[in-house]
């Protein structure tokens, strides 16, 4: 596997009613685990990590575990262009390298709650990281209510506490997909992907615990094959303070 400035893993919501809204998707108010995988169709080390994310997503379905897979673009010149790759995903990974003071970046890198990173294919370590994260209470509770209007999504949010360094992010996530890779390190393989981040939208909170925002939706969006995940991040440390899935209301397809 080639080095390219990175090292592969093998080389190294508006309130619904009263107090019920916060409990709707954060049932026990205990900890949460927010998993961010950095992956690529061009990296031969990545398919096992992608498969593990699918397993974890199924294992922890509808719980306080959130899986996001970001396809980076720095493998795109190594023989195969990942159809889900995005330069913004690469920038986010570099931002984490600065927050965590860990370089070089690599694939498949998994970051849990913005604090600790793991080789994304090492199941035992990753499962231990999830259990550890779930054992600690969340700093912030988020409620998100979503209403689809054509190719836009209107989101009402309510966050119980914020600080000036906090930022709200909304990820549009495609639950699964398959790709027929014809060239590169995974040539002639059909790869399975899970929890693919199709877009990530950031919003300054500036003291606003409640509000409404709008995000664009990808072509083919529907509430069966996609989900919306919101999270609050401390922009000084990179730590994820809380996360939740959006609850859809009427007019959603």
């Amino acid at each position: 596997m080639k080095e390219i400035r990175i090292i592969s893993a093998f080389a190294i919501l508006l309130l619904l009613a009263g107090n019920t809204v916060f409990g709707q998707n954060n049932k026990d108010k205990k900890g949460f685990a927010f998993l961010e995988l950095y992956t690529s169709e061009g990296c031969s080390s990545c398919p096992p990590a992608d498969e593990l994310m699918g397993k974890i997503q199924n294992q922890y379905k509808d719980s306080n575990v959130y899986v996001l897979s970001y396809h980076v673009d720095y493998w795109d010149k190594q023989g195969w262009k990942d159809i889900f790759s995005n330069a913004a995903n690469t920038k986010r990974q570099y931002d984490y390298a600065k927050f965590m003071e860990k370089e070089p970046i690599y694939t498949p890198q998994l970051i849990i709650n913005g604090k600790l990173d793991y080789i994304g294919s090492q199941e035992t370590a990753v499962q231990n990281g999830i259990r550890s994260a779930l054992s600690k209470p969340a700093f912030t509770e988020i409620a998100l209510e979503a209403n689809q209007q054509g190719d836009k999504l209107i989101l009402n949010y309510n966050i119980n506490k914020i600080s000036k360094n906090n930022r709200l992010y909304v990820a549009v996530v495609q639950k699964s997909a398959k790709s027929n890779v014809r060239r590169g390190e995974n040539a002639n393989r059909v790869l399975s992907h899970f929890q693919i981040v199709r877009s990530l939208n950031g919003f300054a909170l500036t003291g606003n615990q409640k509000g409404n925002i709008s995000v664009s939706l990808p072509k083919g969006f529907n509430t069966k094959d996609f989900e919306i995940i919101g999270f609050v991040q401390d922009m000084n440390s990179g730590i994820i303070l809380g996360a939740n899935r959006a609850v859809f209301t009427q007019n959603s397809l």
Side-chain angles (χ1 to χ4, degrees), residues 11-75:
I12 40 168
L13 309 128
L14 178 73
L15 286 172
L16 292 180
N19 296 324
T20 61
V21 67
F22 284 120
Q24 185 155 2
N25 286 319
N26 263 330
K27 296 185 176 73
D28 51 18
K29 293 188 179 181
K30 292 184 179 179
F32 73 101
F34 191 80
L35 282 63
E36 297 180 86
L37 175 71
Y38 292 88
T39 184
S40 173
E41 292 180 349
C43 164
S44 62
S45 305
C46 289
D50 295 329
E51 294 284 355
L52 179 57
M53 294 306 102
K55 178 179 179 179
I56 289 171
Q57 174 68 8
N58 185 62
Q59 177 183 354
Y60 291 98
K61 185 177 180 181
D62 300 323
S63 74
N64 293 347
V65 177
Y66 309 91
V67 179
L68 280 71
S69 294
Y70 300 86
H71 288 238
V72 297
D73 69 345
Y74 47 77
W75 283 98

Side-chain angles (χ1 to χ4, degrees), residues 140 159 161-169 203-209 232-237 239 241:
T140 298
I159 304 169
K161 57 182 177 180
I162 58 175
S163 76
K164 64 180 180 180
N165 301 314
N166 294 171
R167 190 169 180 83
L168 173 64
Y169 283 96
F203 303 91
L205 292 171
T206 60
N208 296 321
Q209 294 178 248
V232 174
Q233 186 167 28
D234 185 315
M235 302 313 295
N236 282 349
S237 65
I239 293 174
L241 304 176

Side-chain angles (χ1 to χ4, degrees), residues 44 51 123-124 135 158 230:
S44 62
E51 294 284 355
E123 182 171 4
T124 298
S135 72
N158 189 306

Side-chain angles (χ1 to χ4, degrees), residues 53-214:
M53 294 306 102
K55 178 179 179 179
I56 289 171
Q57 174 68 8
N58 185 62
Q59 177 183 354
Y60 291 98
K61 185 177 180 181
D62 300 323
S63 74
N64 293 347
V65 177
Y66 309 91
V67 179
L68 280 71
S69 294
Y70 300 86
H71 288 238
V72 297
D73 69 345
Y74 47 77
W75 283 98
D76 285 358
K77 295 181 181 179
Q78 306 301 307
W80 176 255
K81 186 181 187 308
D82 188 331
I83 62 172
F84 297 112
S85 67
N86 191 319
N89 295 341
T90 300
K91 181 183 182 303
R92 183 166 177 81
Q93 189 179 21
Y94 272 110
D95 287 345
Y96 268 127
K98 294 176 182 178
F99 284 135
M100 302 170 69
E101 298 183 345
K102 279 193 172 186
E103 293 192 59
I105 61 173
Y106 65 92
T107 52
Q109 183 183 33
L110 179 72
I111 299 172
I112 298 182
N113 287 10
K115 298 177 182 179
L116 298 172
D117 74 314
Y118 304 81
I119 295 174
S121 56
Q122 294 188 347
E123 182 171 4
T124 298
V126 170
Q127 293 281 12
N128 287 338
I130 293 171
R131 284 192 285 270
S132 176
L134 289 172
S135 72
K136 303 175 180 66
F139 293 98
T140 298
E141 294 174 27
I142 308 167
L144 287 171
E145 186 179 78
N147 188 325
Q148 185 178 349
Q149 298 181 7
D151 62 353
K152 297 286 185 181
L153 194 68
I154 308 303
L155 289 151
N156 296 317
Y157 67 85
N158 189 306
I159 304 169
N160 71 331
K161 57 182 177 180
I162 58 175
S163 76
K164 64 180 180 180
N165 301 314
N166 294 171
R167 190 169 180 83
L168 173 64
Y169 283 96
V170 176
V172 180
V173 180
Q174 184 174 344
K175 294 179 182 179
S176 65
K178 289 185 181 293
S179 293
N180 186 359
V181 178
R182 299 175 182 175
R183 295 180 296 279
E185 292 191 357
N186 289 311
N188 303 315
R189 297 183 63 181
V190 176
L191 302 183
S192 296
H193 305 307
F194 302 91
Q195 295 298 104
I196 310 153
V197 176
R198 298 296 303 273
S199 70
L200 183 66
N201 309 269
F203 303 91
L205 292 171
T206 60
N208 296 321
Q209 294 178 248
K210 298 180 182 181
N212 56 74
I213 51 180
S214 172

